[in-house]
Amino acid sequence: MLNWAGNLTYSATDLRRPATLDELATALEGSGPVRALGSRHSFNDVADTTGVHVQVDRLDDGRPAVDLDPATGVVSVNAGLRYGEVSRALHPQGRALGNLASLPHISVAGAVATATHGSGDANRCLAGDVVGLEVMTTAGELRRVTRAEHPDVFGGTVVSLGALGVVTRVELATSPTFAVRQDVAVDVPWETVLGSFDTLTGAAYSVSLFTSWAERSVRQVWFKSRVDDGVGERPEPLPGLGWATTELHPLPGVDPVACTPQLGVAGPWHERLSHFRLEFTPSAGDELQSEYLLPRRHAVEAIVALRRLAPRVAPLLQTSEVRTVAADDLWLSPFDEDSVALHFTWHPRGEDVAAVLPLLEEALLPLGARPHWGKLFALDPVALRELYPRFEDFRALAARFDPDGRLHGGYLRELLG
């Protein structure tokens, strides 16, 4: 079985898709390796195993797949659901999630476990909305961990890389539903970006910059603005911005039919916060991805460093995206302070991409960068775990949930040592 991009063949000998909690417990029986598998959107082997893969996308635990508590606003969802499916069920009930990733096709549990994120100065990664989760351990024990009841270990159970067990449900905080308009500025000068980075990223609820690093200007800046009563003005953070008059795709020359509506037409949050529509299957096998997350205070310095590397990086790129992410308190989240995310969508040239990653890390690691857990990077696992102050606490927590190390597989096995 291949991952989403087709660059990795999983080592698992079997795939189980239990329909009940009893079937899940049976799938976890035995002494061999086992591992949860989400929507397969990881580009590395962090979710791999030499034993049994388990997916919970068919799991029915006797409760509604999207179960909203109107008194608290907390929604409990089947962990295998995709964010787009959760959003479509939540919006008619008058509730919203705080943010979405660029793709609504990723599973809730997988995105949370790897600290996947959207964008926005005040928006935390998707795991930041988690207030509780239920996880079945390799012993077949179903445990519920919440922020309120287990503050001592909660920070280690959310971004867990699947090291604690198979997550069956995720509890997410919600807010009243809201509308968003999306406007795209084009050909924004680098001088504007570098000189007014905070102004630019603070001009809307969510802001994304797209570039190849070699262009004389930033090709596109996507502004996603919250609006009241479905009416709002286009953000005007800086004078002289040129605004797109037709809808655009982040990749030059690609038909934007799969993208969420732009041109300032307001609509529901879940139809604007992602870059792409749920009803369009994203490309598979046509790209590789890397991403580095670093303190926001080093954003301009990192951008300057990447522009110097443009002759090596740009020929391999389809596009690169710059986003901001707010801080959280989760042990293995790279966002322990307000951060900037530098994302790279590569052409599917694995050897060439592998050769350029050490150059990126040489430039970005001194600035406090850490790689996204589910994407391609070169950093040695021993060096990587030293970048997380709570890593030894996490290793101890993983040993409590999985004392026999049956969940150790792929990069996680090397990471936990």
Side-chain angles (χ1 to χ4, degrees):
M1 182 171 59
L2 299 174
N3 66 342
W4 177 84
N7 69 303
L8 174 68
T9 300
Y10 291 117
S11 305
T13 58
D14 194 12
L15 172 65
R16 307 278 182 87
R17 300 174 76 184
T20 67
L21 290 174
D22 286 341
E23 289 183 8
L24 175 58
T26 299
L28 293 173
E29 287 179 352
S31 58
V34 64
R35 202 87 168 86
L37 187 66
S39 48
R40 297 183 289 122
H41 199 259
S42 289
F43 293 79
N44 61 38
D45 65 351
V46 71
D48 202 9
T49 180
T50 56
V52 176
H53 262 144
V54 178
Q55 284 185 299
V56 295
D57 55 332
R58 296 179 179 176
L59 185 66
D60 182 355
D61 63 1
R63 290 173 283 176
V66 178
D67 190 11
L68 177 67
D69 182 347
T72 64
V74 171
V75 63
S76 173
V77 307
N78 182 310
L81 289 178
R82 299 179 298 171
Y83 265 94
E85 295 165 334
V86 173
S87 299
R88 286 184 172 182
L90 197 56
H91 177 67
Q93 300 182 67
R95 305 299 294 183
L97 299 176
N99 208 352
L100 295 172
S102 57
L103 287 177
H105 308 76
I106 55 177
S107 69
V108 173
V112 164
T114 54
T116 295
H117 60 92
S119 185
D121 286 2
N123 296 324
R124 298 172 298 177
C125 72
L126 302 183
D129 281 339
V130 177
V131 296
L133 50 77
E134 295 177 20
V135 55
M136 185 171 287
T137 69
T138 51
E141 177 188 3
L142 188 64
R143 300 185 187 181
R144 179 171 179 260
V145 182
T146 70
R147 178 179 286 276
E149 297 173 358
H150 309 91
D152 55 330
V153 298
F154 180 79
T157 62
V158 183
V159 181
S160 68
L161 310 180
L164 307 184
V166 177
V167 176
T168 61
R169 296 194 77 88
V170 180
E171 300 170 23
L172 302 165
T174 70
S175 67
T177 190
F178 56 93
V180 174
R181 61 173 289 161
Q182 187 164 221
D183 299 271
V184 179
V186 295
D187 298 325
V188 180
W190 281 110
E191 293 77 9
T192 299
V193 172
L194 296 175
S196 304
F197 185 80
D198 290 345
T199 300
L200 201 65
T201 64
Y205 185 76
S206 170
V207 178
S208 295
L209 291 72
F210 292 97
T211 179
S212 73
W213 302 108
E215 297 159 320
R216 299 185 65 178
S217 59
V218 175
R219 184 173 63 252
Q220 299 171 19
V221 181
W222 290 32
F223 296 89
K224 302 172 189 280
S225 307
R226 288 186 60 152
V227 300
D228 296 324
D229 301 322
V231 179
E233 299 297 324
R234 184 175 67 194
E236 296 285 355
L238 298 163
L241 291 186
W243 297 96
T245 56
T246 60
E247 293 196 335
L248 297 172
H249 192 284
L251 302 183
V254 176
D255 191 330
V257 64
C259 296
T260 49
Q262 302 162 28
L263 304 178
V265 179
W269 58 278
H270 66 291
E271 296 178 358
R272 299 296 187 278
L273 290 181
S274 290
H275 296 334
F276 299 98
R277 303 172 189 256
L278 179 63
E279 57 267 30
F280 285 86
T281 302
S283 61
D286 296 331
E287 65 186 56
L288 301 173
Q289 292 184 13
S290 300
E291 187 171 38
Y292 294 92
L293 307 316
L294 62 149
R296 182 195 175 104
R297 52 194 164 88
H298 295 314
V300 170
E301 193 175 353
I303 290 171
V304 171
L306 290 175
R307 292 190 68 203
R308 292 195 191 105
L309 289 173
R312 291 294 306 275
V313 172
L316 301 176
L317 273 179
Q318 297 190 44
T319 193
S320 193
E321 183 177 4
V322 180
R323 290 175 282 180
T324 56
V325 186
D328 59 58
D329 62 353
L330 306 175
W331 297 357
L332 291 194
S333 167
F335 309 111
D336 50 5
E337 62 178 280
D338 291 346
S339 302
V340 62
L342 306 171
H343 187 278
F344 303 84
T345 301
W346 308 104
H347 291 289
R349 295 164 53 183
E351 291 185 2
D352 293 334
V353 171
V356 81
L357 292 178
L359 297 178
L360 289 177
E361 294 178 5
E362 182 181 0
L364 297 177
L365 291 178
L367 301 178
R370 288 176 277 197
H372 188 294
W373 289 112
K375 302 189 188 295
L376 297 176
F377 56 89
L379 189 61
D380 176 84
V382 174
L384 178 54
R385 64 192 183 215
E386 292 176 355
L387 301 180
Y388 288 88
R390 298 296 302 270
F391 185 83
E392 290 306 320
D393 294 328
F394 176 77
R395 187 179 353 220
L397 181 65
R400 286 168 53 187
F401 274 72
D402 178 34
D404 298 325
R406 294 178 57 208
L407 295 166
H408 296 191
Y411 191 83
L412 180 64
R413 179 179 61 248
E414 302 175 64
L415 189 71
L416 292 177

